[in-house]
Amino acid sequence: MSTTAKPGPQSAWQSTARLIARWLDRRERIDLLMESLPPEMAGAERARCQHLVFGVVRHSGRIEGALAGLVAHPPRFVTRAVLYVAGFELIEAFAEGGDTGQPARIVHHAVERTKELASPAEARLVNAVVRKMAAILQGQRAPGPVAPAEALAEYFSHPAWLVRRWLGTFGAGATRSLLEWNQSPAPLYARWRDRSTPAADWLQASEWGGFYTVPSGRWPEVGPLLKSGSLYLQDPGTRMAVELLEPRPGESVLDLCAAPGGKSLLIVDALVTGRIVSLDVPASRIDRLKENLSRTEGVEAALVQADLLTGAAGVLAEHGLPVKYPAVLIDVPCSNTGVMRHRVDVKWRLQEGDFTKHARHQGALLAAAARLVAPGGRLVYSTCSIDPAENQRVVEAFLDRHRAFVLKKSAIAVPWIERHDGGAAFLLQKA
Ligand SMILES: C[S@@+](CC[C@H](N)C(=O)[O-])C[C@H]1O[C@@H](n2cnc3c(N)ncnc32)[C@H](O)[C@@H]1O
């Protein structure tokens, strides 16, 4: 088996097959898989690898369905990975209505790569299986909105239990739209942060002020702008919670569950002057929070590493920081059901019982956040979930037990209507 490949489109393909073999074998997180690529793999080659890895994981349920019955004994992971990558290329080719020779070229390419990655015998298997898979995928039609959950789940590559949950929560039409949304590749959004310079002219303005889409092929220009802090990669959906909080110039804002710091930077840019205190548990994401907080010109920034559930007030006091704030944001860990178009492997990791577990954790975090709000202060609870169990129900249970707070406003975004990531934010006012 060859272990190195010359740079170029073939090495992107081979790297994809190797990463997908690891994903099939150990279900490693795909953001970590992508980070394991060598730094020399850059530009178009890295972008191609990312496109293929995300595409395979996004469509893996449909590919698995098409493969079922075609292979009697599952081949080893690297060969299985080749079948999945070819499966995604076929899905993409049929969706784009490419020329009639394209499936044959995809088969040929998969066979040649298998000779390098595996063996001639496995290449013969790939040849036979990918041809049959092409015929199956080509003959498939998207199920209508009233199709059974299992048919929707297989075609749109989601777990059937999740599709059933959404059918019960949102109804048939909205579930169909959500599934389609999650299956479409996400544009790369970025926010322009530099107040003294207009946004780079190659960025494409979006309908959400300050947010732009980054055209493909602009990575060489994007890198330095990210480093300097002029640009931050961020979906327009992230602005909702900070808009509800409405940070006021000069005030002190506490950002809880802050890492990696996307909302801290939105707060900083709204504050212009004042102070931000960003708190998260000491973990790997804290380095990115630290880096982001180094880009807060005009606003005093403090980073606090503490567990909110085990006495954050003491740690704030130890740092010489206030223990009560007029404005507090808490952006809790959640199911990520609003951001599945970006985070394509989340749907395969999520389990039915996670919603109850998350809601319990979220309720405890919100109660801990409430203790850090000054009298008359504002508290925003936010998630990137579209599930009422993690949104409305957590807030209702909180209000039942915290009579000093009232709900002033809420914003719930579902991607099939807002056309950006989904999530929810609730503005709670303390008496
Ligand atoms: C959704 S992420 C936050 C994203 C962040 N607000 C942003 O905009 O970039 C949730 C965060 O909650 C943090 N977290 C989870 N449990 C926590 C706890 N007990 N105390 C403090 N932070 C916690 C996690 O470490 C994670 O970084």
Side-chain angles (χ1 to χ4, degrees):
M1 180 165 86
S2 114
T3 49
T4 52
K6 289 190 203 85
Q10 291 185 7
S11 93
W13 206 99
Q14 288 174 325
S15 299
T16 302
R18 290 197 186 95
L19 295 185
I20 292 298
R22 279 168 58 186
W23 183 73
L24 290 169
D25 184 11
R26 301 196 287 268
R27 296 284 152 163
E28 289 175 60
R29 286 174 53 137
I30 64 166
D31 51 347
L32 302 180
L33 283 177
M34 291 307 301
E35 279 170 23
S36 73
L37 285 174
E40 314 80 79
M41 189 192 237
E45 200 189 347
R46 198 179 188 94
R48 177 75 190 145
C49 182
Q50 169 147 340
H51 174 76
L52 290 172
V53 169
F54 275 58
V56 170
V57 175
R58 179 176 271 128
H59 291 281
S60 58
R62 186 168 164 208
I63 299 168
E64 195 176 303
L67 283 173
L70 293 182
V71 263
H73 306 290
R76 61 192 172 123
F77 285 109
V78 70
T79 309
R80 221 182 294 174
V82 166
L83 297 174
Y84 274 72
V85 184
F88 166 60
E89 289 186 308
L90 288 165
I91 288 175
E92 204 177 31
F94 295 137
E96 286 167 0
D99 66 80
T100 49
Q102 214 175 349
R105 286 198 295 277
I106 291 169
V107 175
H108 175 75
H109 188 254
V111 169
E112 292 308 304
R113 299 288 76 76
T114 312
K115 288 179 191 162
E116 295 154 5
L117 288 161
S119 68
E122 284 156 300
R124 284 194 290 280
L125 173 88
V126 164
N127 187 20
V129 172
V130 179
R131 277 171 202 285
K132 289 184 197 149
M133 179 165 59
I136 293 172
L137 291 171
Q138 191 167 25
Q140 288 178 343
R141 294 289 166 266
V146 291
E150 286 65 26
L152 288 165
E154 182 168 320
Y155 186 85
F156 291 110
S157 290
H158 279 66
W161 68 264
L162 187 58
V163 175
R164 279 194 291 274
R165 185 177 178 96
W166 287 343
L167 286 170
T169 307
F170 305 117
T175 299
R176 176 71 157 63
S177 304
L178 174 57
L179 292 168
E180 262 181 68
W181 173 267
N182 286 347
Q183 292 307 91
S184 58
L188 184 61
Y189 282 110
R191 191 167 64 81
W192 187 258
R193 296 192 56 232
D194 186 348
R195 262 182 250 117
S196 59
T197 325
D201 57 7
W202 44 266
L203 286 168
Q204 293 162 354
S206 79
E207 61 190 275
W208 303 282
F211 288 88
Y212 296 81
T213 50
V214 181
S216 63
R218 288 293 184 166
W219 202 249
E221 287 108 312
V222 167
L225 290 171
L226 293 178
K227 235 186 191 138
S228 71
S230 297
L231 201 65
Y232 188 76
L233 298 180
Q234 194 162 33
D235 187 271
T238 54
R239 78 197 190 289
M240 281 187 347
V242 180
E243 278 179 4
L244 272 195
L245 188 69
E246 275 189 89
R248 298 168 191 166
E251 83 181 341
S252 286
V253 178
L254 177 61
D255 184 16
L256 298 168
C257 294
K263 295 201 180 60
S264 286
L265 290 182
L266 276 160
I267 292 169
V268 163
D269 295 343
L271 276 178
V272 187
T273 62
R275 168 156 61 186
I276 181 151
V277 176
S278 301
L279 180 145
D280 208 298
V281 285
S284 58
R285 290 152 69 102
I286 214 89
D287 289 339
R288 281 183 57 209
L289 179 59
K290 208 175 278 173
E291 200 185 324
N292 283 326
L293 289 181
S294 68
R295 299 169 181 139
T296 57
E297 237 171 82
V299 173
E300 197 188 312
L303 172 94
V304 176
Q305 302 191 39
D307 184 336
L308 184 56
L309 297 179
T310 56
V315 185
L316 288 166
E318 273 168 31
H319 280 69
L321 292 164
V323 294
K324 301 266 184 208
Y325 292 77
V328 176
L329 172 70
I330 179 155
D331 184 30
V332 293
C334 69
S335 62
N336 290 304
T337 39
V339 297
M340 284 181 162
R341 184 166 78 141
H342 278 112
R343 303 199 44 198
V344 292
D345 53 344
V346 159
K347 61 189 175 190
W348 303 123
R349 282 202 305 271
L350 196 64
Q351 293 181 12
E352 225 165 338
D354 289 348
F355 290 94
T356 315
K357 268 192 248 163
H358 280 309
R360 210 177 300 127
H361 189 207
Q362 290 155 348
L365 288 168
L366 179 55
R371 292 195 275 279
L372 303 170
V373 181
R378 289 121 52 218
L379 168 61
V380 168
Y381 169 80
S382 97
T383 74
C384 51
S385 164
I386 52 170
D387 203 290
E390 298 175 274
N391 295 327
Q392 296 92 317
R393 293 217 278 279
V394 170
V395 171
E396 282 157 15
F398 169 82
L399 289 172
D400 272 352
R401 272 182 257 113
H402 296 79
R403 298 295 169 161
F405 284 85
V406 289
L407 175 64
K408 288 298 242 189
K409 251 193 218 171
S410 62
I412 298 176
V414 287
W416 63 93
I417 292 175
E418 301 299 332
R419 316 307 297 167
H420 58 53
D421 278 352
F426 299 82
L427 172 64
L428 306 160
Q429 176 89 44
K430 189 172 178 180

